[in-house]
Amino acid sequence: MAPTASQPSFSEPSFLATRRGMSTLLLLCAVQFLDIVDSSIVNVALPSIRRDLGFSQQNLQWVISGYVLTFGGFLLLGGRAADLLGRRRMLVLGTSLFAVCSLVGGLAPDSGTLIGARIVQGIGAAMMAPAGLSILTTTFTEGRERARALGVWGAVSGLAAATGVFLGGVLSEGPGWRWVLFVNIPVCVYVLVAAFRLIPGDQRRARPTSFDLPGTMLITGGMLLLVYALVRAPEVGWDDAHTIGELATAGILLAAFVLNERRARTPLFPFSILRVKGLAAADATQLIAFAGFISLFFFLTLYMQNVLGYSPVQAGSAYLPVTVGIGIAAGVSAQLIPRIGTRPVIVVGALVAAGGMYDLSRVPVDGSYLADLLPGLAIMSLGLGAIFTTVTAAANAGVPADKAGLAAGLLNTSLQIGAALGLAVFSAIATARTDDLLSAHIAPAEALTSGFHRAILAASLSLLLASLIALGVTNTRGQEPPTASGPVPTTTSRRTPATADTEPESAP
């Protein structure tokens, strides 16, 4: 049959296959890598930071927690601001703030300056991450290339979490701990230059008739207090009056936010986005899965350094095979999405990761890397790569372009809340077991290892729970997303990449 006007005889080349398309994807992945790696790169450098700046043990945790607090607390606001104020604008603003804080933190003469820099750096990350992901989802819209781009983005999240530990060890033992912050600056410069060269400018927008100031204050205050309570819970205890009060107050603020949004003329958080099929399940899957993964890295690093006596570089290098496994799983998963969809890959990935983590929950006091750590790490990394490659695609399936920033903020919020929740819950499990054994006069190394066993076992069970939640995600195969007003017609041709900020030109 001869081709008709509605059935062109050829298809336009994929934007992702062009040099500009690949450069754009590289830029956006660099944004995600920066945001995630800074949650873990400082971990191994903490002893050096404490000695150099005279930190107390109580305040040292805020070098990490300060960043996590504002990153998680401002993500929803950052995502919606990208939709309303312009995605490139928010990306540039957030990256600039991130770079300045990296410089200030690296030059910090005292503990207060470093903590302050990390707190503000988290705000910059909360602007960058949802802006970057929403630019990706509104730029790569053709089915197969969209699946590949989202797959790469998701894989970068897992790679950054594992790579951060390695880089932190190498830099802190090499040029010094300050370079775990200085290393961000050249990457930020690249992002800023590439953003102006590759991403279309934001069109002038009509101002909302009224900005949802009450909603902004309620959601930001509620999220900040929630993350703060989760970060402090392992130290002060879950049954402490402060923890209970903070969690209760956070719940009240978030409930008030929901009531406000239902009445607001221009809500900060349009609840219609929750009607997107499978969105809530995808975000919940990432929250539970990341709670397990981040906790695993935390406890294994402590085990290697405090029980096996590894140096920071040795402990960091132990995760290099994890990056290889994530890369292999990401490549395979990206090929599977167009064939079988996201749901089976996420479910199987969670089960595989749970198996690897269960194996790691049995490491002995005198364990060796090749026999006791490497097999479990290799298995776990394959599951991790599969989950984060596919859950990103599932969480963005069916999201209208005008709410892409909000969807990106939700996805990144689930990641940060998952990390804080996992460390809070599983640290309490590990500490309780270790304290019980120490009070029974068990050797410290054995008591620590037993505590790690309990925590990692619980983390593996969280991956089983994630596999059950994943049964509710959308089984997308990379279909094109709907526009703000409805589905994209199958005959629509995309000549140039565009973000949702770019409004259609009027006809000549």
Side-chain angles (χ1 to χ4, degrees), residues 282-353:
D283 288 341
T285 298
Q286 173 155 286
L287 187 152
I288 299 299
F290 211 77
F293 287 130
I294 285 294
S295 300
L296 174 72
F297 292 143
F298 177 74
F299 292 117
L300 278 187
T301 302
L302 291 178
Y303 167 74
M304 286 186 280
Q305 290 185 297
N306 296 339
V307 177
L308 300 184
Y310 283 20
S311 69
V313 171
Q314 288 175 317
S317 300
Y319 293 105
L320 286 178
V322 174
T323 64
V324 176
I326 292 173
I328 293 172
V332 173
S333 299
Q335 297 297 319
L336 290 176
I337 291 176
R339 299 180 182 179
I340 63 175
T342 51
R343 187 189 302 135
V345 180
I346 298 173
V347 172
V348 172
L351 293 175
V352 169

Side-chain angles (χ1 to χ4, degrees), residues 241-278:
H242 290 89
T243 301
I244 296 172
E246 289 159 1
L247 290 174
T249 305
I252 293 171
L253 290 174
L254 294 176
F257 170 73
V258 172
L259 295 176
N260 177 82
E261 296 305 282
R262 293 191 176 279
R263 299 175 181 178
R265 293 177 57 190
T266 54
L268 179 71
F269 187 99
F271 280 93
S272 59
I273 194 173
L274 297 180
R275 292 198 293 266
V276 175
K277 183 180 179 182

